[in-house]
Structure formats: structure tokens, C-alpha cells
């Protein structure tokens, strides 16, 4: 998709949200990258260059747009449909394999050498497995910073960073803002509303998140299907939310999902906070 310049330019100029996540627009004159549906005035065609992933944009030195937040756009749906090496690698990276086992562990699961995996991902996505995993950690960190009341140190390790310093450096590099500044810019909660995921909630250990989805999507149809095909003892519909158990690398969890017009409300109960990234994925 990103190699078809004419088609990408048309999508950006029409602000077509259907292409969000399929490709990313980097603006060479400003050094930022956007999703196709960014609400700002589209740049001149000669100033646009296109990348297949947010990680490729970040690796090329571009920062995420603070208006359209392209890093939060769900990735291409191709990865859930294809069965080739790149699609399998993307699913495993999304499941946090690189964070837990490194690139050698990813390659071993795929049955290829680390060099072959690196070459294939670079050819199709413009970024290697480490850069893709880093972009995922950065997005998870942003999600937690903006939608929970967790301390920054807990966010750093829950998002998969090995140190607070790496967390701070990555957030500053990717978003051009310190973690505290990101939280200060987040939309304010209604007066009297508890902080999402704050320890003062009635159930300690439960995180409340806002998960984005790619338009167009009708959540009512999706959740109606999930309810109709629910597996007893694993899935249920209760109090306006679809709930299901999760089997995760470090333990078990329960996810409660509530559909909204512009996002999915998610409440996560996890045995081990290290499973947060894969649970969100």
C-alpha cells in the first residue's frame, strides 16, 4: 500500500479514516508523521513520504503527530489474515515474544534464523523486530500514562521496558514530550470521577483503559456476535459488558469490554502485571 504514492496522496487529501493503520504519512518539512485521516491541513504532495508502520517512521527520525496520534491506530488487519513469515512475526511481536525472549526467541518460534526474520521485516515494514517491539512498548506506555493513574515506574515495567531510563528516553524520542507532560496533556476526567486504574478504585489490581479501533466498525454488531457465540465458562455478557477469561504467559486474567461509539472501554484484571501488553493486544 505505502508504495502506491498516488493512492496514498489521495487518501491523505480526502482524510480517509479507512486507511488508518495501513500506511503512515511522514512530512519531511516538519519531521512528524500522521495517520491518513489527520484533521490538519494536508501537506503538499512533494513533502509527503509514506511508511508501512509507525516503527519505520520512528526509525527514520520522525515524531508522532500530537493531533491525530498515529501511533495509537491499530495496525494493518493483514497480519490476522495472512500465514506467511511476516504476518506470523507481527502476531508474535504483538504477543510480546520479543520483550520476553528477544529476537532469537522470536526466530526460534518461527523456525528461521534471526537474520532471515530481520531481513523479511525490513523489506516489508521498513523496521526490524526490535524497532517494532519498541514502538509497541511506546504505545502501551502512552495508553497507560493517559488513561490510568498508575505511577510512572509501574507503567515503565508494565509496558515492557527494562529500566525507567529507557522508558523516559523512548517516550521523549517518540512523542517529543516527557511522560509527565503526556499525562498533563491527556483529556481531563469529569469532576468527581475517579482516576481510571487508580489504586482508590473498589477493586485493587484492576486497570481501566480506552482502546482505539479502526473505522468503520459497528461495535453493536461485533458484540452481538460475541454474545451469541460465547463459550459458557469462558465468555459472558454481564452488566452491559462482554467478559472473558484470558490465558496469558505469566498467569490468568479477565477482560471486560464495553462498546462505545469512538472506543472500547476495557477493564483488565491480571494475575501478573507483566502480562499487560499481551492482554491489551
Amino acid at each position: 500500500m505505502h508504495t502506491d504514492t498516488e493512492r496514498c496522496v489521495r487518501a491523505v487529501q480526502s482524510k480517509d479514516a479507512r486507511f488508518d493503520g495501513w500506511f503512515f504519512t511522514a512530512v519531511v518539512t516538519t519531521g512528524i508523521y500522521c495517520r491518513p485521516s489527520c484533521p490538519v491541513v494536508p501537506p503538499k504532495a512533494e513533502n509527503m513520504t509514506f511508511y508501512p508502520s509507525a516503527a519505520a517512521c520512528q526509525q527514520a527520525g520522525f515524531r508522532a503527530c500530537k493531533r491525530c496520534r498515529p501511533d495509537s491506530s491499530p495496525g494493518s488487519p493483514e497480519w490476522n489474515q495472512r500465514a506467511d513469515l511476516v504476518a506470523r512475526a507481527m502476531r508474535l511481536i504483538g504477543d510480546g515474544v520479543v520483550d520476553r525472549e528477544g529476537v532469537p526467541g522470536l526466530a526460534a518460534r518461527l523456525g528461521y534464523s534471526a537474520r532471515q526474520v530481520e531481513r523479511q521485516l525490513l523489506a516489508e515494514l521498513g523496521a526490524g523486530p526490535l524497532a517494532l517491539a519498541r514502538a509497541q512498548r511506546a504505545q502501551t506506555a502512552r495508553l497507560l500514562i493517559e488513561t490510568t493513574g498508575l505511577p510512572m515506574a509501574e507503567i515503565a515495567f508494565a509496558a515492557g521496558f527494562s529500566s525507567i531510563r529507557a522508558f523516559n528516553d523512548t517516550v521523549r524520542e517518540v512523542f517529543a514530550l516527557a511522560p509527565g507532560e503526556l499525562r498533563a496533556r491527556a483529556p481531563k476526567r469529569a469532576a468527581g470521577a475517579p482516576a481510571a486504574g487508580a489504586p482508590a478504585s473498589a477493586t485493587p489490581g484492576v486497570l481501566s483503559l480506552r482502546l482505539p479501533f479502526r473505522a468503520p466498525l459497528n461495535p453493536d454488531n461485533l458484540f452481538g456476535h460475541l454474545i451469541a457465540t460465547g463459550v459458557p465458562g469462558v465468555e459472558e455478557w454481564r452488566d452491559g459488558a462482554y467478559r472473558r477469561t484470558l490465558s496469558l504467559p505469566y498467569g490468568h486474567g479477565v477482560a471486560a469490554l464495553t462498546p462505545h461509539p469512538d472506543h472500547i472501554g476495557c477493564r483488565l484484571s491480571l494475575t501478573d502485571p507483566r502480562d499487560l501488553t499481551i492482554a491489551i493486544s
Side-chain angles (χ1 to χ4, degrees):
M1 175 70 194
H2 73 286
T3 59
D4 190 340
T5 302
E6 184 178 344
R7 188 180 179 192
C8 290
V9 169
R10 287 201 307 268
V12 171
Q13 291 175 340
S14 62
K15 303 184 187 299
D16 196 333
R18 293 175 299 174
F19 292 97
D20 288 356
W22 287 91
F23 70 90
F24 296 82
T25 307
V27 185
V28 296
T29 51
T30 62
I32 64 172
Y33 70 96
C34 303
R35 62 173 75 198
S37 64
C38 185
V40 303
V41 177
K44 295 179 181 179
E46 59 267 27
N47 294 331
M48 293 188 243
T49 183
F50 304 102
Y51 290 90
S53 65
C57 294
Q58 294 168 16
Q59 194 160 270
F62 293 93
R63 302 188 316 273
C65 174
K66 297 174 185 175
R67 185 80 179 272
C68 68
R69 299 173 53 172
D71 53 291
S72 66
S73 177
S76 169
E78 283 188 281
W79 314 133
N80 294 325
Q81 300 170 355
R82 290 164 38 181
D84 57 272
L85 171 62
V86 172
R88 290 163 55 211
M90 289 298 290
R91 290 197 293 270
L92 289 172
I93 292 170
D95 285 344
V97 169
V98 172
D99 293 334
R100 295 192 303 273
E101 304 174 20
V103 177
L106 173 68
R109 284 174 177 255
L110 294 169
Y112 289 80
S113 71
R115 185 176 179 181
Q116 287 175 305
V117 173
E118 181 97 21
R119 186 170 60 246
Q120 291 274 6
L121 289 173
L122 281 171
E124 185 157 346
L125 292 165
L130 287 176
L132 292 163
R134 177 177 179 267
Q136 177 173 279
R137 288 195 297 272
Q139 165 53 17
T140 301
R142 181 176 196 163
L143 185 67
L144 294 173
I145 290 169
E146 295 185 339
T147 65
T148 78
L150 287 173
M152 294 299 177
E154 291 186 28
I155 289 175
F157 295 113
F161 289 95
S162 58
S163 69
I164 297 175
R165 180 177 180 179
F167 161 71
N168 288 329
D169 290 346
T170 298
V171 170
R172 285 195 184 95
E173 184 178 340
V174 172
F175 306 117
L177 291 170
E181 294 172 312
L182 266 183
R183 177 162 282 174
R185 287 172 56 94
K188 302 301 180 184
R189 295 176 295 273
S201 66
T203 49
V206 175
L207 285 177
S208 297
L209 308 168
R210 291 164 59 95
L211 302 182
F213 58 75
R214 184 190 303 104
L217 173 72
N218 187 333
D220 292 339
N221 288 348
L222 172 62
F223 278 76
H225 171 74
L226 292 173
I227 296 164
T229 59
V231 178
V234 177
E235 302 166 284
E236 66 174 359
W237 178 263
R238 184 198 298 177
D239 300 329
Y242 163 78
R243 302 175 74 249
R244 69 156 296 147
T245 58
L246 302 172
S247 178
L248 302 167
Y250 296 105
H252 297 285
V254 176
L257 305 176
T258 306
H260 296 280
D262 60 346
H263 71 278
I264 301 297
C266 174
R267 285 174 60 83
L268 283 174
S269 303
L270 302 176
T271 304
D272 192 310
R274 290 177 294 177
D275 283 326
L276 181 60
T277 299
I278 184 173
I280 291 173
S281 177

